[in-house]
Amino acid sequence: MSTGKLCLEHIRPVIDAVDVLNGKWRIPVVVALCESPRRFNELLRDIKNITPRMLAKTLQELEQHELLERVPDTDNPATTIYQISEYGHSIEPLILALTEWGTAHRKRLIGKS
């Protein structure tokens, strides 16, 4: 097997994963929903600086990737609750790893100043 093909076999899955999570708002939305299911307005409140239009677009994209699902609110059927799907829970170890690395990286950079 050529080195180029082996490299591509390792790179392609990473590119696929990054494509799903790419964008300023996808990871924050996933993180928020991993903590607990939320209504649209709760997500707007909890994710600072996201616009309603961008939140709607991000939720739609994450739903297309099957990372979240919409369920009717039992208290108010006209309201939708967004939650991580069963498949979406598979991304939680990655989110935890990113959190740990980001925390360590931030400490490393602050320690150099």
Side-chain angles (χ1 to χ4, degrees), residues 47-66:
I47 302 171
K48 303 298 180 212
N49 299 321
I50 192 169
T51 65
R53 182 176 178 194
M54 185 54 65
L55 178 57
K57 180 177 185 271
T58 302
L59 290 167
Q60 181 181 27
E61 292 166 348
L62 291 171
E63 186 177 18
Q64 288 172 348
H65 286 290
E66 300 179 6

Side-chain angles (χ1 to χ4, degrees), residues 48-109:
K48 303 298 180 212
N49 299 321
I50 192 169
T51 65
R53 182 176 178 194
M54 185 54 65
L55 178 57
K57 180 177 185 271
T58 302
L59 290 167
Q60 181 181 27
E61 292 166 348
L62 291 171
E63 186 177 18
Q64 288 172 348
H65 286 290
E66 300 179 6
L67 296 179
L68 66 81
E69 55 194 15
R70 296 179 294 156
V71 294
D73 185 343
T74 54
D75 296 332
N76 181 1
T79 303
T80 300
I81 295 178
Y82 297 90
Q83 64 185 22
I84 292 294
S85 66
E86 185 175 332
Y87 174 66
H89 283 291
S90 68
I91 204 167
E92 288 183 54
L94 177 58
I95 298 296
L96 179 60
L98 285 170
T99 301
E100 291 171 355
W101 186 86
T103 300
H105 183 66
R106 181 176 290 273
K107 286 179 183 175
R108 179 184 174 98
L109 291 181

